[in-house]
Amino acid sequence: MLVALGAAGPAAARDWAIVVGIDDYIHFEPFDPDRPGGGHFDLQGASNDAKVIAAALRKVGVDLPDSRLLLDRAATVSAFETAWRDVTAQAAPGDRLFVTFAGHGGQEREVSEPFDEKDGLDETLMFADFDPVNPRIGRLTDDQLYTMLQSVPHLQVVWVMDSCHSGGLERNVNARAGGLTRSGGIWDIPIEPLPNELSGGQGENGAPDLPHVTQILATATDDRLVQETAFDGVPHGALSWFFAKAIEGEADMNGDGVITRLEMAAYVGDRVFTHMDQNQQPRFLPRGDPSVMLSLQGEVPPPPAPVPPGLPVRVVGAPPPGLEGGACPGCRLVDVGHAVMFEHVAGGWAVYNGQGDQVTVITGDARPQIERARFLLDLNDAKQPTLPPVTLRPHQSAARQPLGATVGFDFPPPAPDLSFLTLFNVASDGTVQYGLYPPGFREDAPADSGLSLRFSVSPPTGEDQLVVIWCRRPPLNLHALLRAVNGLSVPPMAELQAASADTACQFGRIGLFTEG
Protein backbone atom coordinates (compact mmCIF):
# COMPACT_ATOMS: atom_id res chain seq x y z
CA MET A 1 0.00 0.00 0.00
CA LEU A 2 2.78 2.42 0.90
CA VAL A 3 4.60 1.72 -2.36
CA ALA A 4 1.42 2.15 -4.38
CA LEU A 5 0.52 5.43 -2.71
CA GLY A 6 4.02 6.78 -3.07
CA ALA A 7 4.04 6.05 -6.78
CA ALA A 8 0.83 7.91 -7.45
CA GLY A 9 1.40 11.27 -9.13
CA PRO A 10 -0.66 14.42 -8.88
CA ALA A 11 -4.17 14.31 -10.31
CA ALA A 12 -4.39 15.28 -13.96
CA ALA A 13 -5.85 18.71 -14.65
CA ARG A 14 -9.44 18.74 -15.89
CA ASP A 15 -11.11 20.89 -18.50
CA TRP A 16 -14.49 22.49 -17.77
CA ALA A 17 -16.82 24.74 -19.77
CA ILE A 18 -19.72 27.15 -19.68
CA VAL A 19 -21.24 27.80 -23.13
CA VAL A 20 -23.82 30.51 -23.85
CA GLY A 21 -25.72 31.19 -27.09
CA ILE A 22 -28.68 33.57 -27.31
CA ASP A 23 -30.87 34.22 -30.33
CA ASP A 24 -34.21 34.57 -28.55
CA TYR A 25 -34.22 37.60 -26.23
CA ILE A 26 -37.23 37.94 -23.96
CA HIS A 27 -37.77 41.64 -24.64
CA PHE A 28 -36.53 41.90 -28.25
CA GLU A 29 -38.48 41.60 -31.48
CA PRO A 30 -38.29 38.38 -33.52
CA PHE A 31 -35.81 38.04 -36.36
CA ASP A 32 -37.09 38.98 -39.84
CA PRO A 33 -34.78 38.20 -42.82
CA ASP A 34 -36.20 41.12 -44.83
CA ARG A 35 -35.57 43.69 -42.10
CA PRO A 36 -32.17 45.42 -41.97
CA GLY A 37 -29.71 43.93 -39.48
CA GLY A 38 -28.67 45.50 -36.21
CA GLY A 39 -30.82 47.17 -33.58
CA HIS A 40 -32.76 45.55 -30.79
CA PHE A 41 -33.83 42.36 -32.48
CA ASP A 42 -33.31 38.67 -31.91
CA LEU A 43 -30.32 37.01 -33.56
CA GLN A 44 -30.23 33.94 -35.76
CA GLY A 45 -26.85 32.21 -35.39
CA ALA A 46 -25.81 32.52 -31.73
CA SER A 47 -27.65 29.43 -30.53
CA ASN A 48 -26.09 27.49 -33.44
CA ASP A 49 -22.70 28.76 -32.29
CA ALA A 50 -23.20 27.44 -28.78
CA LYS A 51 -24.28 24.04 -30.07
CA VAL A 52 -21.27 23.54 -32.37
CA ILE A 53 -18.86 24.73 -29.67
CA ALA A 54 -20.48 22.44 -27.10
CA ALA A 55 -20.23 19.46 -29.45
CA ALA A 56 -16.57 20.20 -30.17
CA LEU A 57 -15.68 20.61 -26.48
CA ARG A 58 -17.42 17.38 -25.55
CA LYS A 59 -15.60 15.50 -28.33
CA VAL A 60 -12.25 16.38 -26.76
CA GLY A 61 -13.33 15.47 -23.23
CA VAL A 62 -14.27 18.83 -21.72
CA ASP A 63 -16.73 18.61 -18.82
CA LEU A 64 -19.89 20.32 -20.10
CA PRO A 65 -23.24 19.05 -18.77
CA ASP A 66 -26.49 20.44 -20.14
CA SER A 67 -26.83 22.61 -17.02
CA ARG A 68 -23.85 24.66 -18.26
CA LEU A 69 -25.03 24.86 -21.88
CA LEU A 70 -27.22 27.96 -21.69
CA LEU A 71 -29.38 28.57 -24.75
CA ASP A 72 -31.82 31.34 -25.65
CA ARG A 73 -34.26 32.32 -22.88
CA ALA A 74 -32.62 29.96 -20.40
CA ALA A 75 -29.42 32.02 -20.67
CA THR A 76 -30.22 34.63 -18.04
CA VAL A 77 -27.68 36.49 -15.93
CA SER A 78 -28.64 34.48 -12.86
CA ALA A 79 -28.28 31.19 -14.77
CA PHE A 80 -24.80 32.23 -15.92
CA GLU A 81 -23.77 33.28 -12.41
CA THR A 82 -25.10 29.96 -11.03
CA ALA A 83 -23.09 28.01 -13.64
CA TRP A 84 -20.00 30.08 -12.79
CA ARG A 85 -20.31 29.40 -9.05
CA ASP A 86 -20.96 25.70 -9.70
CA VAL A 87 -17.95 25.08 -11.91
CA THR A 88 -15.47 27.25 -10.02
CA ALA A 89 -16.42 25.47 -6.79
CA GLN A 90 -15.69 22.08 -8.37
CA ALA A 91 -12.55 22.92 -10.33
CA ALA A 92 -9.17 22.33 -8.74
CA PRO A 93 -6.02 24.49 -9.03
CA GLY A 94 -4.48 24.07 -12.48
CA ASP A 95 -7.75 23.10 -14.16
CA ARG A 96 -8.81 24.88 -17.34
CA LEU A 97 -12.17 26.60 -17.78
CA PHE A 98 -13.62 27.52 -21.19
CA VAL A 99 -16.30 30.23 -21.16
CA THR A 100 -17.88 31.12 -24.50
CA PHE A 101 -20.57 33.69 -25.21
CA ALA A 102 -22.44 34.25 -28.48
CA GLY A 103 -25.09 36.93 -28.49
CA HIS A 104 -25.61 40.66 -28.31
CA GLY A 105 -23.09 43.00 -26.73
CA GLY A 106 -23.80 46.58 -25.75
CA GLN A 107 -22.43 49.65 -24.05
CA GLU A 108 -23.66 51.75 -21.15
CA ARG A 109 -22.65 55.12 -19.79
CA GLU A 110 -20.65 54.88 -16.57
CA VAL A 111 -22.64 56.14 -13.59
CA SER A 112 -20.51 54.94 -10.68
CA GLU A 113 -17.00 53.98 -9.66
CA PRO A 114 -14.72 52.86 -11.16
CA PHE A 115 -14.72 55.54 -13.90
CA ASP A 116 -12.09 53.68 -15.89
CA GLU A 117 -13.22 54.06 -19.52
CA LYS A 118 -11.71 56.85 -21.66
CA ASP A 119 -14.94 57.15 -23.65
CA GLY A 120 -17.13 56.94 -20.54
CA LEU A 121 -18.75 53.73 -21.75
CA ASP A 122 -18.63 50.29 -20.16
CA GLU A 123 -18.92 47.31 -22.51
CA THR A 124 -21.59 44.75 -21.63
CA LEU A 125 -22.76 41.26 -22.45
CA MET A 126 -26.52 41.16 -22.91
CA PHE A 127 -28.19 38.02 -21.61
CA ALA A 128 -31.64 36.75 -22.55
CA ASP A 129 -33.38 38.73 -19.79
CA PHE A 130 -31.86 42.10 -20.76
CA ASP A 131 -34.58 44.67 -20.13
CA PRO A 132 -34.64 47.89 -22.20
CA VAL A 133 -36.86 49.48 -19.52
CA ASN A 134 -34.15 48.97 -16.87
CA PRO A 135 -30.87 48.21 -18.68
CA ARG A 136 -29.20 47.16 -15.43
CA ILE A 137 -31.27 43.97 -15.65
CA GLY A 138 -29.92 41.09 -17.70
CA ARG A 139 -26.41 42.32 -18.45
CA LEU A 140 -22.87 41.99 -17.11
CA THR A 141 -20.34 44.79 -17.63
CA ASP A 142 -16.69 44.34 -18.49
CA ASP A 143 -15.87 45.56 -14.97
CA GLN A 144 -18.06 42.86 -13.41
CA LEU A 145 -16.57 40.18 -15.65
CA TYR A 146 -13.06 41.32 -14.74
CA THR A 147 -13.95 40.90 -11.07
CA MET A 148 -15.23 37.38 -11.73
CA LEU A 149 -12.06 36.43 -13.60
CA GLN A 150 -9.91 37.98 -10.89
CA SER A 151 -11.53 35.70 -8.34
CA VAL A 152 -10.17 32.47 -9.92
CA PRO A 153 -6.39 32.92 -10.23
CA HIS A 154 -5.95 29.18 -9.58
CA LEU A 155 -7.67 28.29 -12.90
CA GLN A 156 -6.58 28.73 -16.51
CA VAL A 157 -9.51 30.50 -18.17
CA VAL A 158 -10.15 30.68 -21.92
CA TRP A 159 -12.71 33.42 -22.54
CA VAL A 160 -14.32 33.51 -26.03
CA MET A 161 -16.71 36.36 -26.84
CA ASP A 162 -18.55 36.33 -30.19
CA SER A 163 -20.42 39.61 -29.81
CA CYS A 164 -19.79 43.31 -30.29
CA HIS A 165 -20.69 46.59 -28.70
CA SER A 166 -21.23 49.51 -31.07
CA GLY A 167 -19.64 51.32 -33.97
CA GLY A 168 -19.59 50.28 -37.60
CA LEU A 169 -18.02 48.20 -40.31
CA GLU A 170 -15.12 49.42 -42.38
CA ARG A 171 -17.21 49.02 -45.54
CA ASN A 172 -20.82 49.98 -46.11
CA VAL A 173 -22.81 46.82 -46.71
CA ASN A 174 -26.33 46.11 -47.86
CA ALA A 175 -28.21 45.22 -44.66
CA ARG A 176 -30.54 42.92 -46.62
CA ALA A 177 -27.57 41.02 -48.07
CA GLY A 178 -25.40 40.97 -44.94
CA GLY A 179 -25.87 39.12 -41.68
CA LEU A 180 -27.45 40.49 -38.53
CA THR A 181 -25.08 42.43 -36.29
CA ARG A 182 -24.52 41.47 -32.68
CA SER A 183 -24.59 44.99 -31.24
CA GLY A 184 -27.32 45.87 -28.76
CA GLY A 185 -26.59 49.61 -28.74
CA ILE A 186 -25.69 52.17 -26.06
CA TRP A 187 -27.85 52.53 -22.95
CA ASP A 188 -28.39 55.02 -20.13
CA ILE A 189 -28.70 53.01 -16.95
CA PRO A 190 -30.23 53.89 -13.58
CA ILE A 191 -27.70 55.09 -11.04
CA GLU A 192 -28.98 52.84 -8.27
CA PRO A 193 -27.61 49.26 -8.50
CA LEU A 194 -29.89 46.25 -8.36
CA PRO A 195 -30.14 44.26 -5.13
CA ASN A 196 -27.24 41.77 -4.93
CA GLU A 197 -25.73 43.14 -8.17
CA LEU A 198 -22.17 41.98 -8.71
CA SER A 199 -19.59 44.67 -7.97
CA GLY A 200 -17.34 45.97 -10.72
CA GLY A 201 -14.35 46.05 -8.38
CA GLN A 202 -11.39 48.08 -9.61
CA GLY A 203 -12.61 48.07 -13.18
CA GLU A 204 -11.38 46.40 -16.33
CA ASN A 205 -9.97 49.13 -18.56
CA GLY A 206 -6.37 49.90 -17.72
CA ALA A 207 -6.25 47.19 -15.05
CA PRO A 208 -3.36 44.73 -15.08
CA ASP A 209 -3.65 41.81 -17.49
CA LEU A 210 -4.72 38.61 -15.81
CA PRO A 211 -1.98 36.05 -16.60
CA HIS A 212 -4.33 33.10 -16.09
CA VAL A 213 -6.83 34.35 -18.73
CA THR A 214 -6.70 33.89 -22.51
CA GLN A 215 -9.13 36.21 -24.27
CA ILE A 216 -10.42 35.52 -27.78
CA LEU A 217 -12.60 38.40 -28.91
CA ALA A 218 -14.58 38.73 -32.12
CA THR A 219 -13.08 42.07 -33.17
CA ALA A 220 -9.76 43.84 -32.83
CA THR A 221 -11.31 46.91 -31.15
CA ASP A 222 -14.38 47.64 -29.06
CA ASP A 223 -15.88 49.90 -31.74
CA ARG A 224 -16.25 47.34 -34.55
CA LEU A 225 -19.44 45.53 -35.40
CA VAL A 226 -19.72 41.77 -35.71
CA GLN A 227 -21.93 40.38 -38.46
CA GLU A 228 -23.46 36.97 -38.46
CA THR A 229 -22.53 34.83 -41.45
CA ALA A 230 -23.40 31.34 -42.69
CA PHE A 231 -21.69 27.99 -43.16
CA ASP A 232 -23.40 25.49 -45.44
CA GLY A 233 -26.39 27.84 -45.40
CA VAL A 234 -26.74 27.76 -41.59
CA PRO A 235 -26.30 31.07 -39.67
CA HIS A 236 -23.32 31.35 -37.32
CA GLY A 237 -20.72 33.71 -35.99
CA ALA A 238 -17.40 33.27 -37.78
CA LEU A 239 -15.36 33.34 -34.56
CA SER A 240 -17.47 30.63 -32.91
CA TRP A 241 -17.44 28.40 -35.99
CA PHE A 242 -13.69 28.44 -36.42
CA PHE A 243 -13.07 28.19 -32.67
CA ALA A 244 -15.09 24.96 -32.72
CA LYS A 245 -13.09 23.69 -35.70
CA ALA A 246 -9.85 24.64 -33.96
CA ILE A 247 -10.55 22.70 -30.77
CA GLU A 248 -11.59 19.66 -32.80
CA GLY A 249 -7.95 19.56 -33.89
CA GLU A 250 -7.68 21.73 -36.99
CA ALA A 251 -5.50 24.26 -35.14
CA ASP A 252 -2.97 21.58 -34.14
CA MET A 253 -0.57 22.51 -36.94
CA ASN A 254 2.34 20.30 -35.88
CA GLY A 255 0.20 17.30 -34.88
CA ASP A 256 1.63 17.06 -31.36
CA GLY A 257 -1.76 16.61 -29.69
CA VAL A 258 -1.92 20.06 -28.08
CA ILE A 259 -3.12 23.45 -29.23
CA THR A 260 -1.12 26.45 -28.11
CA ARG A 261 -2.17 30.08 -27.97
CA LEU A 262 0.03 30.72 -30.99
CA GLU A 263 -1.62 27.95 -33.00
CA MET A 264 -5.11 29.05 -31.99
CA ALA A 265 -4.42 32.69 -32.87
CA ALA A 266 -2.90 31.80 -36.24
CA TYR A 267 -5.70 29.42 -37.23
CA VAL A 268 -8.72 31.37 -36.02
CA GLY A 269 -7.35 34.77 -37.02
CA ASP A 270 -6.63 33.65 -40.58
CA ARG A 271 -9.91 31.79 -41.11
CA VAL A 272 -12.17 34.52 -39.72
CA PHE A 273 -10.36 37.30 -41.60
CA THR A 274 -10.64 35.38 -44.87
CA HIS A 275 -14.21 34.12 -44.49
CA MET A 276 -15.54 37.56 -43.52
CA ASP A 277 -13.86 39.18 -46.54
CA GLN A 278 -11.52 41.21 -44.32
CA ASN A 279 -14.39 42.95 -42.47
CA GLN A 280 -13.65 41.17 -39.17
CA GLN A 281 -10.33 40.59 -37.41
CA PRO A 282 -10.38 38.73 -34.07
CA ARG A 283 -8.26 39.83 -31.11
CA PHE A 284 -6.20 37.48 -28.95
CA LEU A 285 -4.80 38.43 -25.55
CA PRO A 286 -2.06 37.71 -24.75
CA ARG A 287 -0.41 37.37 -28.17
CA GLY A 288 2.73 35.48 -29.08
CA ASP A 289 2.40 33.04 -26.22
CA PRO A 290 3.28 29.36 -26.88
CA SER A 291 1.56 28.09 -23.73
CA VAL A 292 -0.88 25.20 -24.13
CA MET A 293 -4.57 26.05 -24.41
CA LEU A 294 -5.95 22.54 -24.88
CA SER A 295 -4.66 18.98 -24.84
CA LEU A 296 -6.47 16.85 -27.38
CA GLN A 297 -7.51 13.47 -26.03
CA GLY A 298 -7.35 11.56 -29.28
CA GLU A 299 -11.07 10.98 -29.80
CA VAL A 300 -11.87 10.90 -33.50
CA PRO A 301 -14.86 13.15 -34.18
CA PRO A 302 -17.72 11.49 -36.06
CA PRO A 303 -18.15 12.54 -39.67
CA PRO A 304 -20.08 15.80 -40.04
CA ALA A 305 -23.78 15.62 -40.67
CA PRO A 306 -24.63 15.82 -44.36
CA VAL A 307 -25.63 19.25 -45.60
CA PRO A 308 -27.93 19.98 -48.52
CA PRO A 309 -25.93 19.94 -51.77
CA GLY A 310 -25.20 23.05 -53.75
CA LEU A 311 -24.09 26.61 -53.13
CA PRO A 312 -26.66 28.62 -51.09
CA VAL A 313 -28.00 31.44 -53.33
CA ARG A 314 -30.59 34.08 -52.54
CA VAL A 315 -32.68 36.01 -55.09
CA VAL A 316 -34.54 39.23 -54.23
CA GLY A 317 -37.08 40.28 -56.83
CA ALA A 318 -37.14 38.92 -60.35
CA PRO A 319 -34.44 36.27 -60.92
CA PRO A 320 -31.55 36.93 -63.31
CA PRO A 321 -30.94 34.82 -66.43
CA GLY A 322 -29.78 31.37 -65.43
CA LEU A 323 -32.04 31.28 -62.38
CA GLU A 324 -35.45 31.64 -64.01
CA GLY A 325 -38.30 29.51 -62.76
CA GLY A 326 -36.48 28.62 -59.55
CA ALA A 327 -33.80 26.68 -61.43
CA CYS A 328 -30.40 26.82 -59.81
CA PRO A 329 -27.91 24.41 -61.42
CA GLY A 330 -25.25 23.43 -58.90
CA CYS A 331 -26.80 25.53 -56.16
CA ARG A 332 -29.88 25.82 -53.99
CA LEU A 333 -32.12 28.81 -53.37
CA VAL A 334 -32.35 30.01 -49.76
CA ASP A 335 -33.96 32.87 -47.83
CA VAL A 336 -31.08 33.22 -45.35
CA GLY A 337 -27.49 32.02 -45.13
CA HIS A 338 -26.55 32.78 -48.73
CA ALA A 339 -23.05 32.78 -50.17
CA VAL A 340 -24.13 35.06 -53.03
CA MET A 341 -27.25 37.17 -53.48
CA PHE A 342 -28.86 38.66 -56.60
CA GLU A 343 -31.12 41.69 -56.14
CA HIS A 344 -33.15 42.99 -59.08
CA VAL A 345 -32.37 46.67 -59.63
CA ALA A 346 -32.92 49.14 -62.46
CA GLY A 347 -30.96 47.92 -65.46
CA GLY A 348 -29.88 44.54 -64.07
CA TRP A 349 -29.06 42.68 -60.86
CA ALA A 350 -26.79 43.78 -58.03
CA VAL A 351 -24.62 40.92 -56.78
CA TYR A 352 -23.64 40.72 -53.10
CA ASN A 353 -21.38 38.40 -51.14
CA GLY A 354 -22.42 36.73 -47.88
CA GLN A 355 -21.28 39.73 -45.81
CA GLY A 356 -23.41 42.22 -47.77
CA ASP A 357 -20.64 43.77 -49.90
CA GLN A 358 -21.69 44.60 -53.45
CA VAL A 359 -19.53 42.56 -55.83
CA THR A 360 -20.78 43.96 -59.14
CA VAL A 361 -23.90 44.56 -61.22
CA ILE A 362 -24.80 42.09 -63.97
CA THR A 363 -27.21 42.30 -66.90
CA GLY A 364 -26.94 38.70 -68.10
CA ASP A 365 -26.22 35.14 -66.98
CA ALA A 366 -25.89 34.67 -63.21
CA ARG A 367 -23.90 31.44 -63.45
CA PRO A 368 -20.41 33.04 -63.64
CA GLN A 369 -21.14 34.73 -60.29
CA ILE A 370 -22.31 31.43 -58.81
CA GLU A 371 -19.09 29.75 -59.93
CA ARG A 372 -17.06 32.66 -58.56
CA ALA A 373 -18.70 32.39 -55.15
CA ARG A 374 -18.22 28.61 -55.13
CA PHE A 375 -14.54 28.97 -56.01
CA LEU A 376 -13.89 31.42 -53.15
CA LEU A 377 -15.57 29.17 -50.59
CA ASP A 378 -13.69 26.13 -51.86
CA LEU A 379 -10.46 28.15 -51.67
CA ASN A 380 -11.11 28.75 -47.97
CA ASP A 381 -11.56 25.01 -47.46
CA ALA A 382 -8.33 24.25 -49.37
CA LYS A 383 -6.14 25.76 -46.64
CA GLN A 384 -3.77 23.19 -45.18
CA PRO A 385 -4.08 22.97 -41.37
CA THR A 386 -0.58 21.46 -41.06
CA LEU A 387 1.04 24.45 -42.80
CA PRO A 388 1.26 27.98 -41.38
CA PRO A 389 -1.38 30.34 -42.76
CA VAL A 390 -0.64 32.90 -45.43
CA THR A 391 -0.01 36.40 -44.05
CA LEU A 392 -1.51 39.24 -46.10
CA ARG A 393 -0.74 42.87 -45.25
CA PRO A 394 -2.79 45.54 -47.05
CA HIS A 395 -1.38 49.05 -47.26
CA GLN A 396 -4.90 50.50 -47.01
CA SER A 397 -7.93 49.96 -44.81
CA ALA A 398 -10.65 47.48 -45.72
CA ALA A 399 -12.89 50.37 -46.80
CA ARG A 400 -13.84 50.73 -50.45
CA GLN A 401 -11.12 52.52 -52.43
CA PRO A 402 -12.03 55.16 -55.07
CA LEU A 403 -10.92 55.22 -58.69
CA GLY A 404 -7.34 56.44 -59.00
CA ALA A 405 -6.38 55.53 -55.44
CA THR A 406 -3.01 53.84 -54.97
CA VAL A 407 -3.36 50.54 -53.16
CA GLY A 408 -0.89 47.87 -52.23
CA PHE A 409 -0.24 44.59 -50.45
CA ASP A 410 2.72 42.84 -48.88
CA PHE A 411 2.96 39.07 -49.25
CA PRO A 412 5.63 37.65 -46.89
CA PRO A 413 6.32 33.90 -47.11
CA PRO A 414 4.52 32.03 -44.31
CA ALA A 415 7.58 29.82 -43.63
CA PRO A 416 11.17 29.55 -44.93
CA ASP A 417 10.34 26.35 -46.82
CA LEU A 418 7.27 27.91 -48.49
CA SER A 419 9.06 30.43 -50.68
CA PHE A 420 7.66 30.02 -54.22
CA LEU A 421 4.84 32.50 -54.83
CA THR A 422 1.95 32.25 -57.27
CA LEU A 423 -0.41 35.22 -57.47
CA PHE A 424 -3.55 35.92 -59.49
CA ASN A 425 -6.76 37.90 -59.18
CA VAL A 426 -10.38 36.77 -59.35
CA ALA A 427 -12.08 39.86 -60.75
CA SER A 428 -15.58 41.02 -59.88
CA ASP A 429 -16.91 39.43 -63.09
CA GLY A 430 -15.45 36.03 -62.14
CA THR A 431 -12.54 36.06 -64.60
CA VAL A 432 -8.91 35.25 -63.84
CA GLN A 433 -6.26 37.98 -64.08
CA TYR A 434 -2.82 36.37 -64.14
CA GLY A 435 0.58 38.02 -64.43
CA LEU A 436 0.24 40.78 -61.84
CA TYR A 437 3.89 40.63 -60.82
CA PRO A 438 6.21 43.66 -60.95
CA PRO A 439 8.98 43.67 -63.60
CA GLY A 440 11.75 41.19 -62.89
CA PHE A 441 9.71 38.89 -60.61
CA ARG A 442 10.10 35.19 -61.44
CA GLU A 443 7.68 32.51 -60.28
CA ASP A 444 10.32 29.81 -60.67
CA ALA A 445 12.71 31.51 -58.20
CA PRO A 446 12.26 31.60 -54.42
CA ALA A 447 10.85 34.86 -53.07
CA ASP A 448 12.57 34.65 -49.71
CA SER A 449 11.83 38.31 -48.97
CA GLY A 450 8.24 38.11 -50.16
CA LEU A 451 6.60 40.50 -52.60
CA SER A 452 5.21 44.03 -52.29
CA LEU A 453 2.60 44.96 -54.90
CA ARG A 454 1.24 48.46 -55.63
CA PHE A 455 -1.17 49.61 -58.30
CA SER A 456 -3.84 52.23 -59.07
CA VAL A 457 -7.57 51.49 -58.90
CA SER A 458 -9.16 51.46 -62.36
CA PRO A 459 -12.50 50.21 -63.79
CA PRO A 460 -14.31 47.94 -63.41
CA THR A 461 -14.90 48.51 -59.71
CA GLY A 462 -16.50 46.18 -57.19
CA GLU A 463 -14.90 43.26 -55.33
CA ASP A 464 -11.62 41.70 -56.43
CA GLN A 465 -10.01 38.78 -54.60
CA LEU A 466 -6.24 38.35 -54.83
CA VAL A 467 -5.35 34.67 -54.53
CA VAL A 468 -1.94 33.96 -52.98
CA ILE A 469 -0.34 30.50 -53.11
CA TRP A 470 3.00 29.72 -51.44
CA CYS A 471 4.64 26.38 -52.33
CA ARG A 472 7.78 24.42 -51.46
CA ARG A 473 8.66 24.02 -55.14
CA PRO A 474 7.49 25.89 -58.24
CA PRO A 475 4.03 24.49 -59.15
CA LEU A 476 4.69 24.36 -62.89
CA ASN A 477 1.43 22.62 -63.76
CA LEU A 478 -0.49 25.29 -61.84
CA HIS A 479 1.28 28.04 -63.79
CA ALA A 480 0.36 26.35 -67.05
CA LEU A 481 -3.28 26.12 -65.98
CA LEU A 482 -3.39 29.81 -65.01
CA ARG A 483 -1.87 30.84 -68.34
CA ALA A 484 -4.55 28.82 -70.12
CA VAL A 485 -7.47 30.42 -68.19
CA ASN A 486 -6.12 33.98 -68.04
CA GLY A 487 -8.99 36.29 -68.99
CA LEU A 488 -11.52 33.45 -68.74
CA SER A 489 -13.89 32.33 -65.99
CA VAL A 490 -12.20 31.01 -62.87
CA PRO A 491 -11.90 27.20 -63.01
CA PRO A 492 -13.11 24.92 -60.21
CA MET A 493 -10.84 24.95 -57.16
CA ALA A 494 -10.34 21.21 -57.55
CA GLU A 495 -8.47 21.85 -60.81
CA LEU A 496 -6.04 24.23 -59.05
CA GLN A 497 -5.48 21.71 -56.27
CA ALA A 498 -4.79 18.94 -58.77
CA ALA A 499 -2.39 21.17 -60.71
CA SER A 500 -0.41 21.95 -57.53
CA ALA A 501 -0.50 18.45 -56.04
CA ASP A 502 3.16 17.70 -56.90
CA THR A 503 4.33 19.99 -54.08
CA ALA A 504 3.08 21.27 -50.73
CA CYS A 505 1.20 24.56 -51.05
CA GLN A 506 -0.71 26.89 -48.74
CA PHE A 507 -3.57 28.99 -50.07
CA GLY A 508 -4.79 32.44 -49.06
CA ARG A 509 -6.79 35.34 -50.41
CA ILE A 510 -7.47 38.98 -49.65
CA GLY A 511 -10.13 41.29 -51.04
CA LEU A 512 -9.88 44.69 -52.62
CA PHE A 513 -13.16 46.62 -52.60
CA THR A 514 -13.43 49.59 -54.93
CA GLU A 515 -16.06 52.11 -56.06
CA GLY A 516 -16.53 54.85 -58.58
Side-chain angles (χ1 to χ4, degrees):
M1 283 292 294
L2 289 175
V3 172
L5 289 172
R14 291 182 62 182
D15 293 329
W16 311 75
I18 303 170
V19 175
V20 180
I22 311 167
D23 290 330
D24 185 8
Y25 281 78
I26 295 171
H27 301 292
F28 284 8
E29 295 182 43
F31 166 75
D32 180 348
D34 290 320
R35 182 172 50 198
H40 310 138
F41 306 113
D42 288 340
L43 294 171
Q44 193 183 24
S47 178
N48 294 335
D49 289 346
K51 292 171 184 175
V52 298
I53 289 175
L57 289 169
R58 286 166 171 167
K59 287 174 186 175
V60 295
V62 176
D63 187 299
L64 177 58
D66 288 343
S67 61
R68 283 190 259 115
L69 174 57
L70 306 178
L71 300 175
D72 293 323
R73 296 195 176 198
T76 62
V77 163
S78 62
F80 178 77
E81 291 176 340
T82 297
W84 176 268
R85 290 191 296 269
D86 172 64
V87 72
T88 55
Q90 295 181 68
D95 285 359
R96 186 178 291 108
L97 171 60
F98 293 87
V99 183
T100 75
F101 178 92
H104 276 304
Q107 290 183 304
E108 61 185 42
R109 294 177 176 86
E110 294 181 295
V111 297
S112 60
E113 296 286 350
F115 295 103
D116 62 321
E117 301 280 357
K118 292 180 180 179
D119 59 1
L121 299 172
D122 275 324
E123 282 70 49
T124 65
L125 296 185
M126 301 166 72
F127 288 81
D129 52 336
F130 178 80
D131 188 353
V133 176
N134 183 348
R136 275 191 180 271
I137 297 173
R139 96 320 182 205
L140 287 176
T141 70
D142 52 357
D143 293 339
Q144 293 170 318
L145 292 166
Y146 188 88
T147 298
M148 295 173 71
L149 293 169
Q150 247 184 339
S151 70
V152 290
H154 58 294
L155 303 180
Q156 295 297 314
V157 181
V158 177
W159 175 255
V160 183
M161 188 175 75
D162 200 346
S163 65
C164 61
H165 305 296
S166 69
L169 299 165
E170 287 203 81
R171 298 189 301 273
N172 291 327
V173 299
N174 183 328
R176 182 195 293 270
L180 291 168
T181 60
R182 294 185 174 181
S183 172
I186 300 175
W187 298 85
D188 291 307
I189 66 168
I191 294 177
E192 291 300 318
L194 300 170
N196 303 316
E197 182 175 311
L198 180 68
S199 169
Q202 69 180 55
E204 178 269 340
N205 193 40
D209 290 336
L210 299 175
H212 63 290
V213 178
T214 299
Q215 296 185 62
I216 306 176
L217 310 177
T219 61
T221 60
D222 290 335
D223 62 351
R224 308 312 302 171
L225 287 178
V226 172
Q227 287 177 284
E228 293 195 333
T229 182
F231 296 89
D232 299 322
V234 178
H236 281 283
L239 176 65
S240 295
W241 175 268
F242 287 112
F243 177 73
K245 293 295 184 183
I247 58 182
E248 287 180 348
E250 289 194 13
D252 182 16
M253 293 182 185
N254 58 8
D256 63 354
V258 300
I259 298 172
T260 67
R261 280 171 167 165
L262 277 174
E263 289 177 317
M264 178 68 75
Y267 174 85
V268 173
D270 170 70
R271 269 48 173 192
V272 171
F273 185 69
T274 300
H275 178 83
M276 297 303 291
D277 288 314
Q278 301 84 54
N279 228 347
Q280 183 179 340
Q281 181 66 69
R283 177 169 40 158
F284 294 79
L285 299 171
R287 296 191 65 89
D289 187 336
S291 61
V292 173
M293 282 187 59
L294 178 66
S295 297
L296 304 176
Q297 298 189 12
E299 181 177 339
V300 177
V307 298
L311 185 82
V313 176
R314 185 180 179 195
V315 176
V316 177
L323 294 176
E324 304 98 330
C328 189
C331 61
R332 54 192 170 94
L333 297 177
V334 298
D335 292 325
V336 294
H338 60 269
V340 60
M341 186 182 101
F342 299 90
E343 183 175 25
H344 192 213
V345 296
W349 288 265
V351 182
Y352 297 92
N353 64 22
Q355 278 53 257
D357 296 294
Q358 183 169 313
V359 177
T360 188
V361 175
I362 64 171
T363 58
D365 195 349
R367 284 172 291 187
Q369 289 296 326
I370 292 172
E371 294 308 314
R372 180 185 188 274
R374 178 181 288 110
F375 174 84
L376 295 176
L377 287 185
D378 289 346
L379 177 64
N380 294 349
D381 293 337
K383 294 184 178 186
Q384 301 299 309
T386 58
L387 298 176
V390 171
T391 301
L392 306 161
R393 298 172 184 157
H395 297 177
Q396 60 284 330
S397 76
R400 286 189 177 267
Q401 304 298 313
L403 285 172
T406 299
V407 296
F409 300 89
D410 294 331
F411 306 110
D417 63 339
L418 294 172
S419 59
F420 291 91
L421 173 64
T422 301
L423 176 68
F424 65 95
N425 182 49
V426 179
S428 59
D429 62 0
T431 59
V432 172
Q433 295 175 345
Y434 182 52
L436 305 175
Y437 309 106
F441 183 85
R442 293 180 52 182
E443 287 182 315
D444 60 350
D448 297 323
S449 299
L451 175 67
S452 184
L453 187 66
R454 291 170 62 85
F455 52 91
S456 178
V457 175
S458 59
T461 57
E463 177 196 324
D464 290 81
Q465 288 287 335
L466 291 168
V467 178
V468 185
I469 306 170
W470 286 96
C471 300
R472 288 188 177 141
R473 291 188 291 106
L476 302 180
N477 293 333
L478 175 61
H479 298 162
L481 171 63
L482 291 172
R483 285 193 295 270
V485 299
N486 188 29
L488 304 177
S489 296
V490 64
M493 185 61 206
E495 292 187 19
L496 270 71
Q497 290 177 287
S500 59
D502 57 344
T503 183
C505 295
Q506 183 62 293
F507 298 85
R509 67 177 172 97
I510 188 167
L512 175 63
F513 297 84
T514 57
E515 62 185 356

